[in-house]
Short mmCIF file of all heavy atoms in Angstrom, two decimals:
data_model
loop_
_atom_site.label_atom_id
_atom_site.label_comp_id
_atom_site.label_asym_id
_atom_site.label_seq_id
_atom_site.Cartn_x
_atom_site.Cartn_y
_atom_site.Cartn_z
N GLN A 73 -3.67 -39.52 -122.73
CA GLN A 73 -2.95 -40.50 -123.52
C GLN A 73 -1.93 -41.26 -122.61
O GLN A 73 -1.83 -42.46 -122.78
CB GLN A 73 -2.15 -39.84 -124.63
CG GLN A 73 -3.06 -39.43 -125.75
CD GLN A 73 -3.83 -40.54 -126.51
OE1 GLN A 73 -3.16 -41.63 -126.73
NE2 GLN A 73 -5.02 -40.42 -126.73
N LYS A 74 -1.31 -40.61 -121.69
CA LYS A 74 -0.42 -41.21 -120.70
C LYS A 74 -1.30 -42.24 -119.90
O LYS A 74 -0.83 -43.36 -119.68
CB LYS A 74 0.31 -40.24 -119.85
CG LYS A 74 1.27 -39.39 -120.61
CD LYS A 74 2.04 -38.37 -119.63
CE LYS A 74 2.89 -37.45 -120.55
NZ LYS A 74 3.45 -36.42 -119.65
N PHE A 75 -2.30 -41.81 -119.33
CA PHE A 75 -3.26 -42.67 -118.65
C PHE A 75 -3.71 -43.84 -119.42
O PHE A 75 -3.74 -44.96 -118.86
CB PHE A 75 -4.42 -41.78 -118.15
CG PHE A 75 -5.52 -42.76 -117.54
CD1 PHE A 75 -5.35 -43.49 -116.38
CD2 PHE A 75 -6.70 -42.84 -118.18
CE1 PHE A 75 -6.34 -44.25 -115.93
CE2 PHE A 75 -7.73 -43.70 -117.77
CZ PHE A 75 -7.47 -44.43 -116.63
N LEU A 76 -4.06 -43.70 -120.67
CA LEU A 76 -4.60 -44.74 -121.55
C LEU A 76 -3.46 -45.88 -121.65
O LEU A 76 -3.90 -47.05 -121.72
CB LEU A 76 -5.04 -44.23 -122.87
CG LEU A 76 -6.29 -43.40 -122.92
CD1 LEU A 76 -6.50 -42.77 -124.38
CD2 LEU A 76 -7.41 -44.16 -122.44
N LYS A 77 -2.23 -45.44 -121.71
CA LYS A 77 -1.22 -46.44 -121.86
C LYS A 77 -1.15 -47.28 -120.56
O LYS A 77 -0.94 -48.56 -120.68
CB LYS A 77 0.12 -45.78 -122.06
CG LYS A 77 0.25 -45.24 -123.54
CD LYS A 77 1.61 -44.49 -123.82
CE LYS A 77 1.57 -43.88 -125.23
NZ LYS A 77 2.72 -43.05 -125.42
N VAL A 78 -1.23 -46.63 -119.34
CA VAL A 78 -1.21 -47.35 -118.16
C VAL A 78 -2.44 -48.29 -118.04
O VAL A 78 -2.32 -49.40 -117.64
CB VAL A 78 -1.20 -46.37 -117.00
CG1 VAL A 78 -1.39 -47.04 -115.64
CG2 VAL A 78 0.09 -45.53 -116.99
N LEU A 79 -3.58 -47.71 -118.44
CA LEU A 79 -4.88 -48.51 -118.43
C LEU A 79 -4.89 -49.74 -119.14
O LEU A 79 -5.09 -50.87 -118.77
CB LEU A 79 -6.04 -47.65 -118.80
CG LEU A 79 -7.39 -48.12 -118.56
CD1 LEU A 79 -7.74 -48.31 -117.13
CD2 LEU A 79 -8.40 -47.23 -119.25
N ALA A 80 -4.24 -49.64 -120.45
CA ALA A 80 -4.08 -50.78 -121.35
C ALA A 80 -3.12 -51.82 -120.84
O ALA A 80 -3.32 -53.01 -120.92
CB ALA A 80 -3.71 -50.28 -122.71
N LYS A 81 -2.06 -51.31 -120.16
CA LYS A 81 -1.05 -52.19 -119.55
C LYS A 81 -1.51 -52.95 -118.40
O LYS A 81 -1.43 -54.20 -118.20
CB LYS A 81 0.18 -51.45 -119.11
CG LYS A 81 1.23 -52.31 -118.60
CD LYS A 81 2.48 -51.39 -118.22
CE LYS A 81 3.57 -52.34 -117.56
NZ LYS A 81 4.53 -51.65 -116.84
N GLU A 82 -2.27 -52.25 -117.48
CA GLU A 82 -2.88 -52.86 -116.29
C GLU A 82 -4.02 -53.70 -116.50
O GLU A 82 -4.24 -54.73 -115.70
CB GLU A 82 -3.19 -51.72 -115.23
CG GLU A 82 -2.01 -50.93 -114.76
CD GLU A 82 -1.08 -51.70 -113.87
OE1 GLU A 82 -1.54 -52.75 -113.20
OE2 GLU A 82 0.03 -51.34 -113.78
N PHE A 83 -4.77 -53.46 -117.55
CA PHE A 83 -6.01 -54.19 -117.85
C PHE A 83 -6.03 -54.61 -119.29
O PHE A 83 -6.91 -54.26 -120.05
CB PHE A 83 -7.34 -53.39 -117.59
CG PHE A 83 -7.32 -52.82 -116.12
CD1 PHE A 83 -6.76 -51.51 -115.81
CD2 PHE A 83 -7.79 -53.60 -115.07
CE1 PHE A 83 -6.78 -51.00 -114.50
CE2 PHE A 83 -7.84 -53.05 -113.75
CZ PHE A 83 -7.30 -51.84 -113.48
N PRO A 84 -5.08 -55.52 -119.66
CA PRO A 84 -5.00 -55.93 -121.07
C PRO A 84 -6.22 -56.50 -121.73
O PRO A 84 -6.35 -56.52 -122.96
CB PRO A 84 -3.77 -56.78 -121.13
CG PRO A 84 -3.66 -57.30 -119.77
CD PRO A 84 -4.16 -56.27 -118.85
#
Side-chain angles (χ1 to χ4, degrees):
Q73 285 299 317
K74 290 177 185 176
F75 165 69
L76 290 173
K77 288 177 184 174
V78 172
L79 190 64
K81 181 182 176 194
E82 295 290 336
F83 304 95

